[in-house]
Amino acid sequence: MLKTGLYEQLINKLLRQELSASNEKLIKTSAIDQEEAPRILSKYLAEVLETALSNVKDNGGGIKDQAALANRMIDLLANDLPEDRLTALSVDEKAELLLVLLDKENSIYALKLNDKAEVVRPVTSLAASSLFTGVGHEPSMFAELKREILSCDRIDMLVSFIKWSGLRLLIEEFKFIKKTNQLIVG
């Protein structure tokens, strides 16, 4: 049952049924804007696909089964569109994430890396936003910022207000980046 309030939600068949049964409510809808349609529809499809992939997992399917479902969706799109490049976007059969790609020569990493060495990287995702709440079981913003600094290839900073006490906590990481000519000060 929908609660009264303001919405900006794509109307699917289930929601349309619920709205049809709400005769005593004021309902305002709007057509999807032509320019906004790709963003709105892709966001909705991402939610639907995440639900479907979770269902595969909840019913005993592994990562390979989820990747296979994703690839079937990509194949369906590729069959309906004239673009051949969509097929090349299928998930690789290993179903892996690329985490690091570094030069083995001519970089600071060349001195300390071999194939078994661990690269410093943030605990939180690089691909998604994270909210740092200060709760004990979550990574601290300070620790993540240090990892970000040590794993970056350069730093560009635009800071309106900063306290010396906060800057002092990161000074060693800044010195390391400055030594490797990756810090741009201006």
Side-chain angles (χ1 to χ4, degrees), residues 2-66:
L2 281 174
K3 294 182 180 180
T4 59
L6 298 177
Y7 286 87
E8 194 168 325
Q9 183 174 342
L10 184 71
I11 300 174
N12 57 24
K13 290 182 179 181
L14 185 62
L15 183 54
R16 178 62 72 195
Q17 288 175 349
E18 195 168 334
L19 292 173
S20 296
S22 301
N23 294 335
E24 69 284 351
K25 306 262 186 195
L26 172 64
I27 299 170
K28 296 255 183 194
T29 63
S30 172
I32 297 173
D33 181 75
Q34 180 72 23
E35 296 301 316
E36 292 290 315
R39 182 188 61 79
I40 292 169
L41 294 171
S42 63
K43 183 179 175 198
Y44 178 73
L45 284 174
E47 292 169 8
V48 170
L49 188 55
E50 184 175 352
T51 300
L53 294 171
S54 293
N55 189 284
V56 169
K57 180 184 68 101
D58 293 344
N59 288 305
I63 293 170
K64 302 263 185 198
D65 297 315
Q66 294 174 58

Side-chain angles (χ1 to χ4, degrees), residues 67-174:
L69 177 59
N71 285 339
R72 287 196 302 275
M73 296 300 297
I74 292 169
D75 288 343
L76 180 65
L77 291 171
N79 289 335
D80 283 359
L81 298 173
E83 300 202 25
D84 294 333
R85 64 186 172 103
L86 283 178
T87 306
L89 298 178
S90 293
V91 178
D92 182 72
E93 62 187 38
K94 291 183 179 181
E96 297 175 311
L97 291 175
L98 175 63
L99 299 178
V100 175
L101 178 65
L102 299 171
D103 288 327
K104 289 186 177 183
E105 297 179 13
N106 301 324
S107 86
I108 188 67
Y109 297 106
L111 300 175
K112 60 182 182 176
L113 283 182
N114 58 45
D115 290 336
K116 296 179 183 176
E118 194 65 34
V119 175
V120 175
R121 57 178 287 119
V123 175
T124 55
S125 173
L126 298 175
S129 298
S130 297
L131 176 64
F132 297 101
T133 60
V135 179
H137 65 277
E138 294 179 358
S140 72
M141 187 171 94
F142 167 65
E144 285 297 271
L145 193 52
K146 287 178 83 163
R147 287 185 196 100
E148 286 274 355
I149 291 170
L150 292 174
S151 66
C152 71
D153 55 3
R154 71 182 246 182
I155 298 174
D156 296 308
M157 291 181 66
L158 176 62
V159 182
S160 298
F161 302 99
I162 191 163
K163 289 186 175 182
W164 174 247
S165 59
L167 190 59
R168 192 173 44 114
L169 295 172
L170 301 170
I171 203 76
E172 290 305 314
E173 287 72 21
F174 286 137

